[in-house]
Amino acid sequence: MRPNHRNHGGFLAGVFVLLLPVFFPSLFAQLSHASPSLFSEWNAPKPKHSRLLKSALQHENSKEQKSELWNPLADQRWKPCLDSSNAPSLPNKSQGYIQVFLDGGLNQQRMGICDAVAVAKILNATLVIPHLEVNPVWKDSSSFVDIFDVDHFIDVLKDDISIVKELPDEFSWSTREYYATAIRATRVKNAPVHASANWYLENVSPILQSYEIAAIAPFSHRLAFDNLPMDIQRLRCKVNFKALIFVPHIRDLGDALVGRLRHPPGQNEALGTNLREVSDADDKQGPGKFVVLHLRFDKIVNLRTLNLVVMQDMAAHSACDFGGGKAEKLALAKYRQVIWQGRVLNSQFTDKELRNQGRCPLAPEEIGLLLAALGFDNNTRLYLASHKVYGGEARISTLRTLFPLMEDKKSLASAEERAHIKGKASLLAAVDYYVSMHSDIFVSASPGNMHNAMVGQRTYENMKTIRPNMALLGQLFLNKSMSWSEFQQAVVEGHKNRQGQIRIKRPKQSIYTYPAPDCMCLA
């Protein structure tokens, strides 16, 4: 295959732009105080909504508002419903082995695993434990067995499909490296996004019949969400909600973090009482309750950009301004040019237009003001589910001012406890996922894979999940003259039906985000 010299030249040009401050520092002297070198982060911006912040710190919410906020969801009559209409049964004879190669982060991989099980069932094939690609952003090489309890996975699905941990010796040649070196007859690389069951029967079954093995790569979003038999839909949910559990050391660490959030060490002595004896009449938050906040404000260190620290989600998916001034704009422009060749989602709109449309992720300061307006106060125990926050402690200082009882993995667990997950993005994400599923309330700063996964899981369990009204918030934050009472009233009204109420899946929507009605039944 001939190299693409044009793209190669563009990449070299981007690298040259990044190296300019290194070889010609005088050209960038005026930015030296606002923006340190390419290999470090600049100072976080000053609060953009200082009037609202000041009012939020002074305002005290009513007991009724606190009580309503922490009340669990009412019974919505929808219950988990995974039993197939027919008794699960294995085919008399497997048609062969199916391999899949999954990319993306933890949540994309979860969806891919669920789809792989469904495809194996459609084809009456034996599934090989899915291969997880090395994440190109986080450089994480964690395998399926590093993240998920493989024995539990196989046991839960033993009546539905046949699963093997490794291929038999006669197929040991079928590896990722084998498919990377040349075109192979057993590799399926043309599976369309959201392919139908018939596509697999027409295109993959013949390969199984000829070679008794088929390897599908890429395999991300390669199975439709609609027009599939109900048994297949419920099998997908069975994988997601029952078969995929994390390895024991992830669950143990997650349980330890949840325990420390519910009963912080030393708090009993400070209060002079037992936390379990505190009544809701005295503490409207309730004893031991906590919120998980997923910021989606992670930073990455990407080798392709010479270790330039950037906001991966923000740079990849929006053209919004995040308040970091000229230094931040320059860094994001460089990143977008080198990685995306200037092609950025919604780049034809101004920042104001994007915010009016609800297309800008919420910054830590803004998600803090949202939480305060909803009724959370400085006694709220908040767990921050994120990797490394872009901008570090300075970036989240306003959020911490509003919520001083904010914790994360590093603050709650010792270095020894975190040794098994250090430097492993998938395992770090798994811990956050586990803690999120055990929280009283979950809220994400903006839609994304983690948000979608939690919405689906917590809908399935009837647990409270706050979905920010992005369009409303974008418009509210643009109004610099709005008082706190007006802001709070608009926020509360705009989020009354966004706290975990059942939403029926529509065509083309993900079954993993909207499990009703395919995987839930009306009681």
Side-chain angles (χ1 to χ4, degrees):
M1 182 176 179
R2 299 179 63 184
N4 188 325
H5 296 291
R6 181 177 298 178
N7 289 345
H8 185 63
F11 175 75
L12 290 178
V15 171
F16 175 74
V17 170
L18 290 174
L19 287 174
L20 281 175
V22 176
F23 294 112
F24 304 101
S26 61
L27 296 177
F28 295 82
Q30 71 232 24
L31 293 176
S32 61
H33 295 292
S35 102
S37 72
L38 285 171
F39 304 98
S40 60
E41 295 177 63
W42 43 84
N43 295 326
K46 294 180 180 179
K48 294 176 64 177
H49 313 287
S50 53
R51 289 179 65 254
L52 289 178
L53 175 62
K54 182 178 179 181
S55 299
L57 291 169
Q58 295 172 345
H59 181 77
E60 185 172 342
N61 296 307
S62 68
K63 291 183 178 180
E64 291 76 13
Q65 185 181 16
K66 292 180 184 179
S67 178
E68 183 178 352
L69 182 65
W70 288 99
N71 283 339
L73 280 175
D75 184 358
Q76 301 183 72
R77 298 179 59 215
W78 285 91
K79 305 295 181 185
C81 189
L82 297 184
D83 292 335
S84 300
S85 55
N86 300 315
S89 61
L90 291 172
N92 293 329
K93 183 180 184 300
S94 171
Q95 299 300 304
Y97 294 94
I98 287 291
Q99 288 178 287
V100 296
F101 300 91
L102 305 176
D103 54 13
L106 175 70
N107 295 297
Q108 297 100 306
Q109 290 169 346
R110 284 185 69 102
M111 290 187 289
I113 293 166
C114 299
D115 288 349
V117 170
V119 167
K121 183 69 173 179
I122 291 168
L123 296 172
N124 283 336
T126 297
L127 178 68
V128 184
I129 290 296
H131 173 90
L132 308 186
E133 304 274 28
V134 175
N135 191 296
V137 173
W138 304 111
K139 309 298 179 186
D140 188 351
S141 59
S142 298
S143 67
F144 186 105
V145 297
D146 293 326
I147 305 170
F148 302 107
D149 188 327
V150 65
D151 292 325
H152 176 86
F153 178 76
I154 294 173
D155 183 63
V156 169
L157 301 172
K158 66 181 184 296
D159 294 327
D160 298 286
I161 67 166
S162 175
I163 304 175
V164 295
K165 296 180 182 179
E166 296 179 349
L167 284 167
D169 290 343
E170 61 264 35
F171 297 108
S172 61
W173 48 265
S174 184
T175 64
R176 192 68 183 94
E177 293 71 26
Y178 173 77
Y179 294 110
T181 56
I183 297 174
R184 308 293 186 182
T186 53
R187 178 183 175 183
V188 179
K189 61 183 301 184
N190 62 335
V193 173
H194 300 151
S196 67
N198 282 339
W199 188 92
Y200 285 97
L201 291 169
E202 293 170 3
N203 294 274
V204 183
S205 283
I207 297 175
L208 290 174
Q209 291 168 9
S210 297
Y211 301 98
E212 296 184 38
I213 186 168
I216 309 174
F219 191 77
S220 177
H221 305 290
R222 289 306 193 274
L223 183 61
F225 290 124
D226 306 307
N227 301 319
L228 291 172
M230 182 58 70
D231 288 352
I232 296 296
Q233 296 290 67
R234 290 186 175 173
L235 177 58
R236 296 166 91 177
C237 284
K238 183 176 182 179
V239 181
N240 193 37
F241 301 132
K242 298 296 182 184
L244 283 177
I245 66 172
F246 298 120
V247 291
H249 76 85
I250 294 292
R251 304 200 304 270
D252 290 343
L253 179 56
D255 285 333
L257 299 186
V258 170
R260 290 163 197 172
L261 285 162
R262 295 205 181 282
H263 308 293
Q267 186 166 4
N268 292 7
E269 293 82 359
L271 294 175
T273 185
N274 188 317
L275 278 175
R276 293 178 176 82
E277 296 174 358
V278 177
S279 68
D280 284 348
D282 298 320
D283 181 3
K284 288 298 177 184
Q285 174 175 324
K289 293 185 178 180
F290 70 96
V291 182
V292 167
L293 168 62
H294 182 237
L295 269 185
R296 275 204 84 200
F297 222 75
D298 290 350
K299 72 178 182 181
I300 63 170
V301 180
N302 194 300
L303 295 178
R304 288 185 63 189
T305 53
L306 302 180
N307 292 336
L308 178 63
V309 178
V310 295
M311 295 178 290
Q312 187 261 344
D313 276 334
M314 317 308 156
H317 300 294
S318 75
C320 301
D321 177 12
F322 299 98
K326 292 181 179 179
E328 184 171 283
K329 289 181 181 179
L330 178 64
L332 290 176
K334 290 174 182 176
Y335 178 76
R336 290 163 178 162
Q337 179 60 42
V338 174
I339 300 300
W340 301 99
Q341 289 76 52
R343 297 188 301 273
V344 179
L345 187 66
N346 301 321
S347 57
Q348 71 270 30
F349 298 106
T350 66
D351 181 75
K352 183 176 181 180
E353 289 171 332
L354 289 171
R355 292 186 183 280
N356 263 317
Q357 298 167 15
R359 297 185 182 184
C360 287
L362 298 177
E365 173 191 359
E366 292 168 334
I367 193 68
L369 290 170
L370 165 64
L371 294 176
L374 287 172
F376 297 104
D377 59 24
N378 61 4
N379 290 316
T380 299
R381 288 178 282 277
L382 196 67
Y383 177 84
L384 202 58
S386 290
H387 188 51
K388 294 181 179 178
V389 176
Y390 167 75
E393 186 62 31
R395 177 71 71 162
I396 61 172
S397 58
T398 302
L399 179 62
R400 193 177 295 279
T401 299
L402 288 166
F403 301 101
L405 302 183
M406 187 165 66
E407 306 281 2
D408 57 20
K409 293 179 290 292
K410 191 172 182 179
S411 67
L412 285 173
S414 67
E416 291 76 16
E417 288 175 308
R418 290 182 280 112
H420 290 302
I421 62 174
K422 184 177 180 181
K424 299 288 187 180
S426 293
L427 300 186
L428 292 164
V431 172
D432 283 341
Y433 194 106
Y434 187 89
V435 175
S436 298
M437 274 307 300
H438 289 78
S439 66
D440 298 280
I441 301 173
F442 175 85
V443 56
S444 181
S446 56
N449 291 315
M450 176 71 163
H451 166 93
N452 293 339
M454 279 297 111
V455 166
Q457 284 254 320
R458 294 175 69 90
T459 295
Y460 187 78
E461 302 286 351
N462 198 45
M463 301 172 72
K464 185 167 283 190
T465 307
I466 297 174
R467 296 183 299 110
N469 187 330
M470 303 296 290
L472 170 66
L473 292 168
Q475 295 162 19
L476 294 180
F477 284 127
L478 285 171
N479 187 344
K480 300 301 181 182
S481 63
M482 179 171 282
S483 69
W484 175 255
S485 60
E486 292 172 325
F487 176 78
Q488 184 174 36
Q489 182 178 357
V491 166
V492 171
E493 287 294 323
H495 289 81
K496 277 188 174 179
N497 296 313
R498 303 180 68 91
Q499 301 190 26
Q501 289 81 2
I502 290 284
R503 291 186 297 163
I504 301 301
K505 176 186 170 300
R506 296 175 182 175
K508 297 185 179 180
Q509 287 184 328
S510 170
I511 194 173
Y512 308 118
T513 306
Y514 305 99
D518 296 271
C519 302
M520 302 181 74
C521 305
L522 278 171

